[in-house]
Amino acid sequence: MAINTEKYTSLLNEMKGKATLVAVSKTKPVEDLQVLYNLGQRDFGENYVQELVDKKATLPKDIRWHFIGHLQSNKVKYIAPFTHLIHGVDSFNLLKEINKEGIKNNRIINCLLQIHIAKEETKFGLDATELALIIKESTALKNTRIIGLMGMASFSNDMSLVRNEFILLRNLYNLYPELSILSMGMSGDYTIAIEEGSNLVRIGSLLFGERNYSTS
Ligand SMILES: *Cc1c(COP(=O)(O)O)cnc(C)c1O
C-alpha cells in the first residue's frame, strides 16, 4: 500500500484551523481512498468525470466529491446530481450549463472560478477582467453559486515565483468579500499557499504516492 498515513495525520495537524484538505485521488484505486476514508477523510478530488462516477458508485455515500479537472460542458450532467464543489469553472458558458443541470436536479451547485496565475500558457483560467464579468453575469443564475476562486501556480522550483502567483490570486479573492473559498496549493507548494491565505488545499501525490498514468 502506497498510502502515507503518517503524512496524512501530520498534514491534518498542519491544516488545523487554516485550510480544508481535499485528497486528490485521480488514477488511484478505490481501496486507497477507503484507507483515508477510514481515517476520517471525507473530501476527495477527482479530475475525470467517468472515474469520479465509477468511484462514487462503490464508496460510502457521505464523501464530498470535488471536481477539480477541466470540465467539458457535455459531461456536466453526469456529476451535477451529487458533486459537492466544482473547482475549475473557466467560462460563462460552462457556468450556464452547470446552472441548467442544477435546475434539472433541483439543487444549487457550488462552483469556484479558475484563475490563470501561472506563467505557463497551457494552464486554464480567467484573467481579472473576465473574472469581474462572470461574477456580474452569474447573479442571473439561480442554481449555481460562485463561492470562491481556484488557481494553480507554475510548476517551478522558483518559490518566489510561486509565492507571487499565490499573492496575485489572494489579492483578486480579497476584491470579492462575498467569496469564502480560496483553493490553492498542491503537494509541492501547499505550505506557501497557506502562508498566502489559502483555505483549501488539493493534495494528491504526497498522500497517495506518485501517479502512474500509463498503467492506470
Ligand atoms: C492532480 C491535481 C492536484 C494534486 O496534485 P499533487 O501535486 O499530486 O498534489 C491538485 N490540483 C489539481 C487541479 C490537480 O489536477
Side-chain angles (χ1 to χ4, degrees):
M1 190 71 62
I3 306 263
N4 192 336
T5 53
E6 269 169 43
K7 187 78 211 174
Y8 176 66
T9 315
S10 72
L11 269 177
L12 279 186
N13 279 326
E14 270 183 79
M15 306 289 154
K16 206 168 275 168
K18 294 179 191 152
T20 301
L21 171 63
V22 173
V24 175
S25 45
K26 60 179 177 243
T27 79
K28 299 298 175 183
V30 289
E31 291 76 17
D32 287 9
L33 284 74
Q34 186 72 52
V35 171
L36 285 194
Y37 180 91
N38 293 344
L39 294 173
Q41 181 66 21
R42 292 296 178 271
D43 292 278
F44 288 89
E46 290 282 340
N47 290 57
Y48 310 103
V49 168
Q50 189 58 52
E51 185 179 345
L52 170 51
V53 170
D54 291 346
K55 283 177 174 168
K56 178 195 156 49
T58 57
L59 285 162
K61 298 292 169 237
D62 60 341
I63 288 180
R64 293 183 287 270
W65 292 104
H66 297 247
F67 190 82
I68 66 169
H70 191 247
L71 184 56
Q72 289 167 287
S73 290
N74 61 348
K75 295 198 173 160
V76 173
K77 56 178 176 285
Y78 302 112
I79 62 168
F82 64 87
T83 189
H84 176 69
L85 182 60
I86 300 177
H87 287 233
V89 178
D90 64 352
S91 77
F92 189 61
N93 277 341
L94 177 58
L95 194 67
K96 275 195 297 191
E97 185 62 27
I98 297 169
N99 189 67
K100 198 176 97 192
E101 294 300 325
I103 293 169
K104 274 192 206 161
N105 289 282
N106 192 28
R107 63 190 294 251
I108 294 169
I109 301 176
N110 288 331
C111 297
L112 305 180
L113 294 175
Q114 183 166 357
I115 309 301
H116 187 272
I117 53 171
K119 293 285 163 284
E120 293 141 51
E121 277 301 315
T122 50
K123 297 218 165 114
F124 296 101
L126 308 162
D127 65 24
T129 312
E130 294 164 328
L131 167 65
L133 194 61
I134 293 194
I135 296 246
K136 193 158 162 246
E137 288 178 310
S138 71
T139 54
L141 305 178
K142 300 302 177 205
N143 287 70
T144 52
R145 190 178 293 133
I146 296 172
I147 62 169
L149 305 182
M150 178 268 216
M152 290 168 84
S154 294
F155 189 71
S156 166
N157 291 326
D158 179 352
M159 286 305 153
S160 67
L161 173 72
V162 168
R163 185 180 296 277
N164 283 332
E165 292 172 355
F166 286 146
I167 290 172
L168 181 81
L169 185 54
R170 180 239 296 154
N171 288 342
L172 277 178
Y173 171 77
N174 284 340
L175 292 177
Y176 301 93
E178 69 272 30
L179 302 180
S180 59
I181 306 274
L182 182 54
S183 168
M184 60 184 197
M186 304 172 31
S187 289
D189 55 22
Y190 74 91
T191 314
I192 299 175
I194 289 176
E195 282 169 9
E196 297 306 337
S198 168
N199 58 21
L200 186 155
V201 296
R202 310 174 310 271
I203 296 188
S205 40
L206 216 51
L207 294 169
F208 294 103
E210 293 301 320
R211 287 176 293 273
N212 186 343
Y213 287 96
S214 57
T215 58
S216 65

PDB file of all heavy atoms in Angstrom, residues 67-93:
ATOM      1  N   PHE A  67     -14.878  18.173  -7.937  1.00  0.00           N
ATOM      2  CA  PHE A  67     -14.386  18.000  -9.301  1.00  0.00           C
ATOM      3  C   PHE A  67     -13.345  19.082  -9.559  1.00  0.00           C
ATOM      4  O   PHE A  67     -13.656  20.269  -9.563  1.00  0.00           O
ATOM      5  CB  PHE A  67     -15.516  18.059 -10.341  1.00  0.00           C
ATOM      6  CG  PHE A  67     -14.999  17.637 -11.684  1.00  0.00           C
ATOM      7  CD1 PHE A  67     -14.891  16.292 -12.006  1.00  0.00           C
ATOM      8  CD2 PHE A  67     -14.538  18.579 -12.600  1.00  0.00           C
ATOM      9  CE1 PHE A  67     -14.347  15.884 -13.215  1.00  0.00           C
ATOM     10  CE2 PHE A  67     -13.998  18.181 -13.818  1.00  0.00           C
ATOM     11  CZ  PHE A  67     -13.915  16.828 -14.122  1.00  0.00           C
ATOM     12  N   ILE A  68     -12.086  18.666  -9.776  1.00  0.00           N
ATOM     13  CA  ILE A  68     -11.001  19.655  -9.875  1.00  0.00           C
ATOM     14  C   ILE A  68     -10.378  19.690 -11.263  1.00  0.00           C
ATOM     15  O   ILE A  68      -9.436  20.428 -11.501  1.00  0.00           O
ATOM     16  CB  ILE A  68      -9.915  19.393  -8.806  1.00  0.00           C
ATOM     17  CG1 ILE A  68      -9.199  18.062  -9.064  1.00  0.00           C
ATOM     18  CG2 ILE A  68     -10.508  19.419  -7.394  1.00  0.00           C
ATOM     19  CD1 ILE A  68      -7.947  17.886  -8.209  1.00  0.00           C
ATOM     20  N   GLY A  69     -10.901  18.891 -12.190  1.00  0.00           N
ATOM     21  CA  GLY A  69     -10.326  18.847 -13.526  1.00  0.00           C
ATOM     22  C   GLY A  69     -10.930  19.897 -14.450  1.00  0.00           C
ATOM     23  O   GLY A  69     -11.670  20.780 -14.017  1.00  0.00           O
ATOM     24  N   HIS A  70     -10.587  19.776 -15.708  1.00  0.00           N
ATOM     25  CA  HIS A  70     -11.168  20.663 -16.715  1.00  0.00           C
ATOM     26  C   HIS A  70     -12.463  20.037 -17.200  1.00  0.00           C
ATOM     27  O   HIS A  70     -12.449  18.987 -17.836  1.00  0.00           O
ATOM     28  CB  HIS A  70     -10.179  20.879 -17.867  1.00  0.00           C
ATOM     29  CG  HIS A  70     -10.608  21.976 -18.781  1.00  0.00           C
ATOM     30  ND1 HIS A  70     -10.984  21.762 -20.077  1.00  0.00           N
ATOM     31  CD2 HIS A  70     -10.750  23.303 -18.547  1.00  0.00           C
ATOM     32  CE1 HIS A  70     -11.333  22.920 -20.614  1.00  0.00           C
ATOM     33  NE2 HIS A  70     -11.194  23.871 -19.717  1.00  0.00           N
ATOM     34  N   LEU A  71     -13.569  20.680 -16.887  1.00  0.00           N
ATOM     35  CA  LEU A  71     -14.888  20.087 -17.126  1.00  0.00           C
ATOM     36  C   LEU A  71     -15.416  20.496 -18.498  1.00  0.00           C
ATOM     37  O   LEU A  71     -15.477  21.674 -18.827  1.00  0.00           O
ATOM     38  CB  LEU A  71     -15.851  20.538 -16.015  1.00  0.00           C
ATOM     39  CG  LEU A  71     -17.260  19.966 -16.013  1.00  0.00           C
ATOM     40  CD1 LEU A  71     -17.259  18.443 -15.973  1.00  0.00           C
ATOM     41  CD2 LEU A  71     -18.038  20.524 -14.821  1.00  0.00           C
ATOM     42  N   GLN A  72     -15.822  19.487 -19.275  1.00  0.00           N
ATOM     43  CA  GLN A  72     -16.445  19.780 -20.573  1.00  0.00           C
ATOM     44  C   GLN A  72     -17.956  19.907 -20.383  1.00  0.00           C
ATOM     45  O   GLN A  72     -18.557  19.126 -19.638  1.00  0.00           O
ATOM     46  CB  GLN A  72     -16.150  18.648 -21.552  1.00  0.00           C
ATOM     47  CG  GLN A  72     -14.697  18.609 -21.996  1.00  0.00           C
ATOM     48  CD  GLN A  72     -14.380  17.301 -22.690  1.00  0.00           C
ATOM     49  OE1 GLN A  72     -14.284  16.247 -22.048  1.00  0.00           O
ATOM     50  NE2 GLN A  72     -14.241  17.360 -23.999  1.00  0.00           N
ATOM     51  N   SER A  73     -18.551  20.847 -21.091  1.00  0.00           N
ATOM     52  CA  SER A  73     -19.981  21.128 -20.918  1.00  0.00           C
ATOM     53  C   SER A  73     -20.849  19.886 -21.077  1.00  0.00           C
ATOM     54  O   SER A  73     -21.817  19.688 -20.338  1.00  0.00           O
ATOM     55  CB  SER A  73     -20.440  22.176 -21.927  1.00  0.00           C
ATOM     56  OG  SER A  73     -19.884  23.420 -21.594  1.00  0.00           O
ATOM     57  N   ASN A  74     -20.494  19.040 -22.051  1.00  0.00           N
ATOM     58  CA  ASN A  74     -21.345  17.876 -22.320  1.00  0.00           C
ATOM     59  C   ASN A  74     -21.249  16.792 -21.232  1.00  0.00           C
ATOM     60  O   ASN A  74     -21.982  15.808 -21.276  1.00  0.00           O
ATOM     61  CB  ASN A  74     -21.033  17.284 -23.699  1.00  0.00           C
ATOM     62  CG  ASN A  74     -19.584  16.808 -23.812  1.00  0.00           C
ATOM     63  OD1 ASN A  74     -18.747  17.118 -22.956  1.00  0.00           O
ATOM     64  ND2 ASN A  74     -19.302  16.053 -24.841  1.00  0.00           N
ATOM     65  N   LYS A  75     -20.346  16.979 -20.262  1.00  0.00           N
ATOM     66  CA  LYS A  75     -20.218  15.978 -19.194  1.00  0.00           C
ATOM     67  C   LYS A  75     -20.759  16.456 -17.852  1.00  0.00           C
ATOM     68  O   LYS A  75     -20.779  15.699 -16.885  1.00  0.00           O
ATOM     69  CB  LYS A  75     -18.762  15.566 -19.048  1.00  0.00           C
ATOM     70  CG  LYS A  75     -18.261  14.848 -20.291  1.00  0.00           C
ATOM     71  CD  LYS A  75     -17.010  14.074 -20.041  1.00  0.00           C
ATOM     72  CE  LYS A  75     -16.657  13.240 -21.267  1.00  0.00           C
ATOM     73  NZ  LYS A  75     -15.247  12.850 -21.259  1.00  0.00           N
ATOM     74  N   VAL A  76     -21.204  17.711 -17.811  1.00  0.00           N
ATOM     75  CA  VAL A  76     -21.701  18.267 -16.545  1.00  0.00           C
ATOM     76  C   VAL A  76     -22.817  17.405 -15.975  1.00  0.00           C
ATOM     77  O   VAL A  76     -22.893  17.162 -14.765  1.00  0.00           O
ATOM     78  CB  VAL A  76     -22.207  19.716 -16.752  1.00  0.00           C
ATOM     79  CG1 VAL A  76     -22.875  20.249 -15.500  1.00  0.00           C
ATOM     80  CG2 VAL A  76     -21.059  20.631 -17.172  1.00  0.00           C
ATOM     81  N   LYS A  77     -23.657  16.886 -16.864  1.00  0.00           N
ATOM     82  CA  LYS A  77     -24.847  16.151 -16.417  1.00  0.00           C
ATOM     83  C   LYS A  77     -24.529  14.924 -15.571  1.00  0.00           C
ATOM     84  O   LYS A  77     -25.310  14.540 -14.711  1.00  0.00           O
ATOM     85  CB  LYS A  77     -25.724  15.739 -17.599  1.00  0.00           C
ATOM     86  CG  LYS A  77     -25.038  14.906 -18.668  1.00  0.00           C
ATOM     87  CD  LYS A  77     -26.069  14.528 -19.757  1.00  0.00           C
ATOM     88  CE  LYS A  77     -25.452  13.778 -20.916  1.00  0.00           C
ATOM     89  NZ  LYS A  77     -24.669  14.673 -21.817  1.00  0.00           N
ATOM     90  N   TYR A  78     -23.361  14.352 -15.778  1.00  0.00           N
ATOM     91  CA  TYR A  78     -23.020  13.138 -15.020  1.00  0.00           C
ATOM     92  C   TYR A  78     -22.657  13.411 -13.558  1.00  0.00           C
ATOM     93  O   TYR A  78     -22.813  12.541 -12.706  1.00  0.00           O
ATOM     94  CB  TYR A  78     -21.868  12.386 -15.701  1.00  0.00           C
ATOM     95  CG  TYR A  78     -22.179  11.986 -17.122  1.00  0.00           C
ATOM     96  CD1 TYR A  78     -21.506  12.560 -18.195  1.00  0.00           C
ATOM     97  CD2 TYR A  78     -23.182  11.045 -17.380  1.00  0.00           C
ATOM     98  CE1 TYR A  78     -21.809  12.208 -19.506  1.00  0.00           C
ATOM     99  CE2 TYR A  78     -23.493  10.683 -18.688  1.00  0.00           C
ATOM    100  CZ  TYR A  78     -22.805  11.269 -19.746  1.00  0.00           C
ATOM    101  OH  TYR A  78     -23.108  10.922 -21.036  1.00  0.00           O
ATOM    102  N   ILE A  79     -22.131  14.602 -13.295  1.00  0.00           N
ATOM    103  CA  ILE A  79     -21.720  14.880 -11.908  1.00  0.00           C
ATOM    104  C   ILE A  79     -22.671  15.859 -11.196  1.00  0.00           C
ATOM    105  O   ILE A  79     -22.614  15.991  -9.975  1.00  0.00           O
ATOM    106  CB  ILE A  79     -20.268  15.416 -11.831  1.00  0.00           C
ATOM    107  CG1 ILE A  79     -20.109  16.739 -12.581  1.00  0.00           C
ATOM    108  CG2 ILE A  79     -19.290  14.376 -12.381  1.00  0.00           C
ATOM    109  CD1 ILE A  79     -18.783  17.438 -12.271  1.00  0.00           C
ATOM    110  N   ALA A  80     -23.543  16.501 -11.980  1.00  0.00           N
ATOM    111  CA  ALA A  80     -24.433  17.531 -11.405  1.00  0.00           C
ATOM    112  C   ALA A  80     -25.319  17.024 -10.266  1.00  0.00           C
ATOM    113  O   ALA A  80     -25.607  17.777  -9.335  1.00  0.00           O
ATOM    114  CB  ALA A  80     -25.295  18.142 -12.504  1.00  0.00           C
ATOM    115  N   PRO A  81     -25.773  15.753 -10.289  1.00  0.00           N
ATOM    116  CA  PRO A  81     -26.678  15.321  -9.228  1.00  0.00           C
ATOM    117  C   PRO A  81     -26.048  15.291  -7.838  1.00  0.00           C
ATOM    118  O   PRO A  81     -26.764  15.309  -6.852  1.00  0.00           O
ATOM    119  CB  PRO A  81     -27.083  13.895  -9.654  1.00  0.00           C
ATOM    120  CG  PRO A  81     -26.805  13.835 -11.118  1.00  0.00           C
ATOM    121  CD  PRO A  81     -25.619  14.728 -11.335  1.00  0.00           C
ATOM    122  N   PHE A  82     -24.728  15.198  -7.755  1.00  0.00           N
ATOM    123  CA  PHE A  82     -24.147  14.946  -6.430  1.00  0.00           C
ATOM    124  C   PHE A  82     -22.915  15.758  -6.093  1.00  0.00           C
ATOM    125  O   PHE A  82     -22.533  15.847  -4.930  1.00  0.00           O
ATOM    126  CB  PHE A  82     -23.804  13.454  -6.293  1.00  0.00           C
ATOM    127  CG  PHE A  82     -22.730  12.994  -7.254  1.00  0.00           C
ATOM    128  CD1 PHE A  82     -21.392  13.106  -6.915  1.00  0.00           C
ATOM    129  CD2 PHE A  82     -23.072  12.487  -8.514  1.00  0.00           C
ATOM    130  CE1 PHE A  82     -20.407  12.706  -7.804  1.00  0.00           C
ATOM    131  CE2 PHE A  82     -22.087  12.079  -9.396  1.00  0.00           C
ATOM    132  CZ  PHE A  82     -20.750  12.190  -9.044  1.00  0.00           C
ATOM    133  N   THR A  83     -22.240  16.353  -7.077  1.00  0.00           N
ATOM    134  CA  THR A  83     -20.928  16.923  -6.792  1.00  0.00           C
ATOM    135  C   THR A  83     -21.001  18.032  -5.732  1.00  0.00           C
ATOM    136  O   THR A  83     -21.925  18.838  -5.725  1.00  0.00           O
ATOM    137  CB  THR A  83     -20.233  17.410  -8.073  1.00  0.00           C
ATOM    138  OG1 THR A  83     -18.903  17.769  -7.781  1.00  0.00           O
ATOM    139  CG2 THR A  83     -20.929  18.610  -8.672  1.00  0.00           C
ATOM    140  N   HIS A  84     -20.039  18.020  -4.827  1.00  0.00           N
ATOM    141  CA  HIS A  84     -20.032  18.968  -3.698  1.00  0.00           C
ATOM    142  C   HIS A  84     -19.542  20.342  -4.148  1.00  0.00           C
ATOM    143  O   HIS A  84     -20.071  21.377  -3.741  1.00  0.00           O
ATOM    144  CB  HIS A  84     -19.127  18.408  -2.597  1.00  0.00           C
ATOM    145  CG  HIS A  84     -18.956  19.312  -1.420  1.00  0.00           C
ATOM    146  ND1 HIS A  84     -19.994  19.586  -0.545  1.00  0.00           N
ATOM    147  CD2 HIS A  84     -17.876  20.010  -0.953  1.00  0.00           C
ATOM    148  CE1 HIS A  84     -19.544  20.419   0.404  1.00  0.00           C
ATOM    149  NE2 HIS A  84     -18.292  20.688   0.173  1.00  0.00           N
ATOM    150  N   LEU A  85     -18.497  20.343  -4.990  1.00  0.00           N
ATOM    151  CA  LEU A  85     -17.911  21.608  -5.425  1.00  0.00           C
ATOM    152  C   LEU A  85     -17.164  21.387  -6.744  1.00  0.00           C
ATOM    153  O   LEU A  85     -16.381  20.441  -6.855  1.00  0.00           O
ATOM    154  CB  LEU A  85     -16.934  22.119  -4.344  1.00  0.00           C
ATOM    155  CG  LEU A  85     -16.235  23.458  -4.563  1.00  0.00           C
ATOM    156  CD1 LEU A  85     -17.252  24.595  -4.703  1.00  0.00           C
ATOM    157  CD2 LEU A  85     -15.292  23.770  -3.390  1.00  0.00           C
ATOM    158  N   ILE A  86     -17.422  22.261  -7.706  1.00  0.00           N
ATOM    159  CA  ILE A  86     -16.706  22.214  -8.985  1.00  0.00           C
ATOM    160  C   ILE A  86     -15.658  23.327  -8.979  1.00  0.00           C
ATOM    161  O   ILE A  86     -15.992  24.503  -8.891  1.00  0.00           O
ATOM    162  CB  ILE A  86     -17.682  22.371 -10.174  1.00  0.00           C
ATOM    163  CG1 ILE A  86     -18.717  21.240 -10.170  1.00  0.00           C
ATOM    164  CG2 ILE A  86     -16.913  22.412 -11.501  1.00  0.00           C
ATOM    165  CD1 ILE A  86     -19.779  21.348 -11.257  1.00  0.00           C
ATOM    166  N   HIS A  87     -14.388  22.936  -9.031  1.00  0.00           N
ATOM    167  CA  HIS A  87     -13.301  23.913  -8.821  1.00  0.00           C
ATOM    168  C   HIS A  87     -12.882  24.683 -10.065  1.00  0.00           C
ATOM    169  O   HIS A  87     -12.306  25.746  -9.956  1.00  0.00           O
ATOM    170  CB  HIS A  87     -12.049  23.208  -8.292  1.00  0.00           C
ATOM    171  CG  HIS A  87     -12.131  22.753  -6.879  1.00  0.00           C
ATOM    172  ND1 HIS A  87     -11.191  23.073  -5.932  1.00  0.00           N
ATOM    173  CD2 HIS A  87     -13.048  21.999  -6.237  1.00  0.00           C
ATOM    174  CE1 HIS A  87     -11.522  22.533  -4.768  1.00  0.00           C
ATOM    175  NE2 HIS A  87     -12.632  21.868  -4.919  1.00  0.00           N
ATOM    176  N   GLY A  88     -13.054  24.102 -11.242  1.00  0.00           N
ATOM    177  CA  GLY A  88     -12.362  24.656 -12.397  1.00  0.00           C
ATOM    178  C   GLY A  88     -13.223  25.392 -13.405  1.00  0.00           C
ATOM    179  O   GLY A  88     -12.968  25.319 -14.600  1.00  0.00           O
ATOM    180  N   VAL A  89     -14.208  26.158 -12.941  1.00  0.00           N
ATOM    181  CA  VAL A  89     -15.088  26.823 -13.904  1.00  0.00           C
ATOM    182  C   VAL A  89     -14.342  27.997 -14.535  1.00  0.00           C
ATOM    183  O   VAL A  89     -13.858  28.886 -13.828  1.00  0.00           O
ATOM    184  CB  VAL A  89     -16.388  27.309 -13.226  1.00  0.00           C
ATOM    185  CG1 VAL A  89     -17.270  28.043 -14.227  1.00  0.00           C
ATOM    186  CG2 VAL A  89     -17.121  26.129 -12.606  1.00  0.00           C
ATOM    187  N   ASP A  90     -14.235  27.965 -15.857  1.00  0.00           N
ATOM    188  CA  ASP A  90     -13.426  28.998 -16.512  1.00  0.00           C
ATOM    189  C   ASP A  90     -14.121  29.649 -17.698  1.00  0.00           C
ATOM    190  O   ASP A  90     -13.478  30.271 -18.530  1.00  0.00           O
ATOM    191  CB  ASP A  90     -12.066  28.429 -16.933  1.00  0.00           C
ATOM    192  CG  ASP A  90     -12.195  27.341 -17.985  1.00  0.00           C
ATOM    193  OD1 ASP A  90     -13.339  26.929 -18.263  1.00  0.00           O
ATOM    194  OD2 ASP A  90     -11.159  26.919 -18.535  1.00  0.00           O
ATOM    195  N   SER A  91     -15.454  29.504 -17.762  1.00  0.00           N
ATOM    196  CA  SER A  91     -16.186  30.262 -18.776  1.00  0.00           C
ATOM    197  C   SER A  91     -17.640  30.414 -18.342  1.00  0.00           C
ATOM    198  O   SER A  91     -18.155  29.597 -17.567  1.00  0.00           O
ATOM    199  CB  SER A  91     -16.131  29.565 -20.142  1.00  0.00           C
ATOM    200  OG  SER A  91     -17.036  28.469 -20.170  1.00  0.00           O
ATOM    201  N   PHE A  92     -18.273  31.465 -18.861  1.00  0.00           N
ATOM    202  CA  PHE A  92     -19.680  31.674 -18.518  1.00  0.00           C
ATOM    203  C   PHE A  92     -20.554  30.605 -19.159  1.00  0.00           C
ATOM    204  O   PHE A  92     -21.558  30.196 -18.593  1.00  0.00           O
ATOM    205  CB  PHE A  92     -20.127  33.082 -18.937  1.00  0.00           C
ATOM    206  CG  PHE A  92     -21.496  33.432 -18.417  1.00  0.00           C
ATOM    207  CD1 PHE A  92     -21.751  33.468 -17.048  1.00  0.00           C
ATOM    208  CD2 PHE A  92     -22.542  33.706 -19.287  1.00  0.00           C
ATOM    209  CE1 PHE A  92     -23.019  33.775 -16.551  1.00  0.00           C
ATOM    210  CE2 PHE A  92     -23.810  34.014 -18.801  1.00  0.00           C
ATOM    211  CZ  PHE A  92     -24.040  34.052 -17.438  1.00  0.00           C
ATOM    212  N   ASN A  93     -20.153  30.138 -20.331  1.00  0.00           N
ATOM    213  CA  ASN A  93     -20.922  29.056 -20.976  1.00  0.00           C
ATOM    214  C   ASN A  93     -20.956  27.803 -20.121  1.00  0.00           C
ATOM    215  O   ASN A  93     -22.005  27.163 -20.000  1.00  0.00           O
ATOM    216  CB  ASN A  93     -20.329  28.720 -22.342  1.00  0.00           C
ATOM    217  CG  ASN A  93     -20.846  29.685 -23.401  1.00  0.00           C
ATOM    218  OD1 ASN A  93     -21.870  30.336 -23.201  1.00  0.00           O
ATOM    219  ND2 ASN A  93     -20.125  29.791 -24.499  1.00  0.00           N
TER     220      ASN A  93
END
